[in-house]
Amino acid sequence: MTEKIGNVWVFIEQEGGKIADVSLELVCKGRELADKLGVKTEAVLLGNGVASCCDTLFEYGCDTVFLAEDPRLEPFTVLPFAKVIMDLVREHKPNILLFGATMKGRELAPRIASEKMAGLTADCTDLQIDDFEDLRNHKSYKNKLMQIRPAFGGNIIATIVNTWDDPQIVTVREGVMKIGTPVPGRKGEVVHVDVALTEKETIVKVMERIRQDKTVNLKGAQIIVSGGYGVGSKENFKLIHELAKTLGGEVGASRAAVDAGWISHDHQVGQTGVTVRPKLYIACGISGSVQHCAGMSESKKIIAVNTDPNAPIFSVAHYGIVGDLNQVIPMMIKAYKAKA
């Protein structure tokens, strides 16, 4: 008799009743995985006064939402959330549990994995269902989650299989999964969860919260102009800002430029930054490391400007300009303004 496979679960992040994009990305990916396994896609939604999120989750593909509402679940602290999720995992035994690789996800996922004695793969960039043959132990596994992520500094892509106790737990980087099209009016089941917390889980109190909104929205930008270490200095980065402003786009950067202190981390594109898919991506003074290309290679059109004709960035660019960006960018601005 074949053992029944558990469902695919997605932890839903929300702030003030607004669902995080990464959670909707994971719901859409979870739906794909669940269809392959022939099981349900289920969401775990914690907070207070967040029931209005359920309709959105159903429209994006959830069959069930486990809804836990309690004043002690706002604002987020890890101990109450971990307790509620762990109680649900023990009761319902999901097969796969997906978290965003965010501050909340990175706090929660290891606690759940440790208490459940389950495996955890962090910062995945792709997930697939496939069979696995363990040649060392002479065992075969059907329909396991292939947990795909960069390794060794991004120099290789590793596929990891968890043969520990279910659930198979992963955190997934923001932006790497595509948000599908919602189905208006799609319905599902809401399961109201009794929140059983003790003084042990509520010992941490949030006295004050200071929030600072991001000044840049790279994920939603249609045009991005990015600068790398080849820009040369913080002063020269003004050219990147000027070109982006002229084109009506956002400013991006490579990790090297961020590490040099020329621009803030919010602008970083790549494996340790944001994954983007704009209509136009202009890479200026960026060599094109594997880590950076992982975050922008799906852009519809890529233009690269670099003094090195052998720079790796040219292998992913649709158009390449070999030249000094200090000369090329003013020419691009002038040409664009002449046509505008």
Side-chain angles (χ1 to χ4, degrees), residues 267-279:
H267 295 265
Q268 185 173 319
V269 175
Q271 185 178 321
T272 51
V274 180
T275 299
V276 297
R277 298 183 181 89
K279 291 181 178 178

Side-chain angles (χ1 to χ4, degrees), residues 189-209:
E189 178 187 7
V190 177
V191 176
H192 293 276
V193 178
D194 292 328
V195 177
L197 298 174
T198 66
E199 188 177 343
K200 175 183 171 184
E201 288 90 37
T202 56
I203 191 169
V204 176
K205 306 292 183 185
V206 177
M207 306 306 295
E208 182 183 7
R209 296 182 76 202

